[in-house]
Amino acid sequence: PPGRRVNGAQRNGGGNPVTLFEMVKQGKSAMQVQHRGAVRIEMFRNMQNVEIIRKMTEEFDEDSGDYPLTISGPLWNKFRYSYCEFIAVLIRQCQYSIIYDELHCNRLYSNRSNCNRLIIIRCYICLQLQENQDEIENMMNSIFKGIFVHRYRLDAIAEIRAICIEEIRVWMQIYSDAFLNDSYLKYVGWTLHDRQGEVRLKCLKALQNLYSHRELFQKLELFTNRFKDRIVSMTLDKEYDVAVEAVRLIILVLQGSEDALSDDDCENVYHLVYSAHRPVALAAGDFLHRLLCMFSILAYLHTQAEEALAKHRGRSSPNGNLIRMLVLFFLESELHEHAAYLVDSLWDSSQDLLKDWECMTEVLLEEPVQGEEVLSERQESALIELIVCSIRQAAEAHPPVGRGTGKRVLTAKERKTQTDDRNKLTEHFIMSLPTLLSKYQADSEKVANLLQIPQYFNLDIYSTGRMEKHLDALLKQMRLVVEKHTELEVLETCSKTFSILCSEELSIMNRVDIAWSQLIDELTDRFSHAVEELLQEGDEADDDDIYSVLSSLKRLTAFHNAHDLTSWDLFGTCYRLLRAGIERIQALQCSHYSIMWQLVKITEGSPSKDDLIALRRVVKSFLAVCQQCLSNVNTPVKEQAFMLLCDLLMIFSHQLMAGGREGLQPLVFHPDSVLQNELLNFVLDHVFIEQDEENQSVDGDEEDEANKIEALHKRRNLLAAFSKLIIYDIVDMSAAADIFKHYMKYYNDYGDIIKETLSKTRQMDKILCAKTLILSLQQLFNELIQDQGPNLDRTSAHVSGLKELARRFALTFGLDQIKTREAVATLHKDGIEFAFRFPNPKRPDCPPPNLAFLEVLCEFSSKLLRQDKKTVHSYLEKFLTEQMCERRDDVWLPLISYRNSLLTGGDDDHGSITSSSSSKTGSIRSRKSCAAHRKHTEGEEDELCLSRLNDLGKIAEMLWPQKLEDVNRKERTAVSYMKARILSCLSSRGLMEDDAEPIFEDVMMSSRGQLEDMNEEFEDTMVIDLPPSCNRRERAELRPNFFDSAAMMEDESPRPFLLVSLF
């Protein structure tokens, strides 16, 4: 093939390197080929080093992307590796000739590359010459002191600092006699504090290479004592890669010396097994496993007669000791709800232990021998929990929730391992699980965990392995568990396990279904008889009668959650209990499940009209009962009824007909105003409540704090349930006013929920949302008037809080004033009308009682455009008399402040308009590309603009009901002129280029915390507003006079045609 140019030099067809760069890239192979080098002998004889470097730089073509010292990425990595190899080959081939020549060394050292000089030291060390040893060491020491000492910590480039550490590691490992001492190790220890993670990482890996050689450990003893604390602290490094390597280094330190780490050092690493970052947790799990093995071997060796026992008993094997120690660690860590994370951390290093289910089962089932410690109740519960977690990990083959980014696709090898593990655990626990259930049948915690095990079985083994008798034993034990326990966790787990065993694709389905049906028949008969006896006895019923009904109902409710029990007609019996006011919590829940299963049947089949009417009658009666329960004296009953009401109203709303299910229209329910008010009052009474000071813990009791957190979680669920009704337009949006007014007061508890509700309601209807916001402020203002009287103290905390809430509401409108224009104008209109709604009962010339509300309304003035401010000001003047305009008393300050906020800001708006014009000017560069994407023809644009002007006239009628005939002829002429001007502009160019930048206007803030407010504003803008592309499209469709600065500035007088164009 023809030659090509590389770095300005011609490469021959044979591929021989031409330049030094090409030679270095090819590495040692370049030393064996004949080539025409760019560095000639005349250059060495007649040129100085600087001149040679300058000439080489010119030949390297510094401006090209191939210049070796400026390139990056894979090409740089290849060059660096080849260059290092080149230097090594050069020194090795010259080791018996010119390596000690002063001229050679001086020229080689003259290279300014620190990396080059460090590599030379490595090459000298590799020579290991017996002759001239002193000369080599002198060369190495001079380079070390001249380069390394100044670069390992002070070099501005982190990569250079990392290279220093890597090279000194090689020196120490190859020539340990000279370099592996405290004089050199201290540099590595000091660099552990480097500010860059990659350098710290390189230090740890260098130390790992040293500690992995047991023969070097003695020389590292002093270093270990000096820098051990720093290494242990690096397990909490902010860079997860560094933390992982720090744990691995500690493992090597532990292997080298069992006494090197203190108990506190080990404890700092122990807790990392519960880390959310899986690589860190796995490394900590490896450390824990090695430490447990070390202690287990010691215990194993000190146990008498251990060897004889190990021959026939798995529980006394080393794994048995490890299991006991793991249980003790799990209990001492006091994180009993995180067993899944502990198992996952140990999974890579301790799979043989965690999969030794036979040994674990023997520890639980067999009686201890003489001299062996007996597991306590807590230890047995912990071991069972670890067994279940290890079974889940083996069967599902993915880490628990919170570890990792989700389920990944398993490889073929991993799938085979998963299948083998699942078969292994199934074959073992099919036979041992009934025995375990029989032994721990009375313990609800143990039983709840053990009943999860069949959910991970390969259930086909029951039939393929002819193990039906073990299935019968399991079903018998499950029946006994249901009859003995009433705990919700046990019953729900048993119900779920029955549901899995009853899967239709299984051959054992019939056998399981018969046992399940017999159990439900028995429970239903028992429940029906208990209810009959209870209702007959009436007030004479004792606690035993109530307990009989309650226990049966709990069992049936738990099963009804996962199974369709509608054929047993539990709703009728539960409804009778509800009407009688007995056991309402369980009866409400069971009735709810019954309705849900009936709805499932109807939606999946082809229901008749009678079926729909029957279900509607059931739902209507149940909603009525729940509504009655809202006034119950029992708080749990009220909370249960409220949640069920919210759920059912959501399910049986207008969304039920979505997806082509218009035939379900008879099932749609719309809550009336009475029910809506009751739901709202419940939220106000049970969610927005003050913290009970008497129940506050003085000494920080953990149980009390947990109860508070649980109570707050429950209240948040109540608020979220009601907020969903508002968001999905099931409850009138005006009800949100009572929610929004608590935004500031309960920000820490419910701020996120209220903010999200506000965002969703604005997406539904901007104008209606604005009306809701101003209504919430009006409600708070009325409350202040009732508390303080008509003469409000403007400096009081309550008034300041009201203004602060208004300011926060204003921030949620975002920076795009065009999109929220009509909503903000409507908000001001309602605010003005509220301020002047009632005249002063004393004298007409006195301020209205609600005039102070205008000061709150000032917070929204910054969200008005200049034109809108003039419009709103004109609307305000309709309510003012000449005497009001002339008053300057303190009581009139709110009016004065509000008028000023509407009359100021013209310059700012002018700047915004100018910015708009600049944006359009800047977009001329890409006008060709924009013209290619225009969607409207000239005729369509004209028609669109005229229709918008007509719509604006309708908006004007909203604020000014009087007819527009009052406008004089000059004003109508101005309007016609504006239309003609707009049409002429539209015919020549578009309203706004597609690539124009968004226009941001400065927001006028009335109080402190501007930086925080801007953050909140941008956050809300992201949630509430449309994407930027949609914003630009909407701006492009706005009225043209908003962006035509020439039309705005042509006449500075406040012409009435502006009012018509806006409202």
Side-chain angles (χ1 to χ4, degrees), residues 270 272-274 278 280-293 322-323 325-327 329-330 339-355 360 386 390 393 400 403:
Y270 286 158
L272 294 178
V273 296
Y274 298 105
R278 193 164 190 262
V280 175
L282 291 176
D286 188 15
F287 174 81
L288 176 61
H289 172 73
R290 294 175 184 273
L291 202 60
L292 292 177
C293 289
L322 276 175
I323 290 170
M325 291 184 179
L326 181 60
V327 169
F329 168 81
F330 178 49
Y341 296 95
L342 175 60
V343 170
D344 180 61
S345 301
L346 294 167
W347 195 249
D348 286 357
S349 57
S350 309
Q351 280 199 30
D352 293 339
L353 172 66
L354 296 175
K355 293 179 182 179
M360 297 181 185
L386 291 174
S390 64
Q393 185 94 358
R403 287 265 178 92

Side-chain angles (χ1 to χ4, degrees), residues 773-836:
L773 289 179
I774 200 66
L775 177 60
S776 65
L777 295 174
Q778 293 171 5
Q779 292 177 357
L780 287 176
F781 183 83
N782 289 332
E783 294 176 4
L784 289 179
I785 293 293
Q786 294 176 1
D787 295 340
Q788 301 182 10
N791 299 323
L792 293 178
D793 182 7
R794 301 172 60 210
T795 62
S796 65
H798 293 87
V799 176
S800 300
L802 180 58
K803 294 173 61 178
E804 179 68 15
L805 178 61
R807 185 179 65 85
R808 291 295 184 95
F809 284 166
L811 291 174
T812 60
F813 282 96
L815 297 176
D816 194 344
Q817 296 174 324
I818 303 298
K819 292 178 60 178
T820 59
R821 184 179 188 182
E822 296 178 0
V824 175
T826 303
L827 185 145
H828 280 272
K829 173 181 177 295
D830 291 354
I832 294 173
E833 293 175 351
F834 175 76
F836 295 95

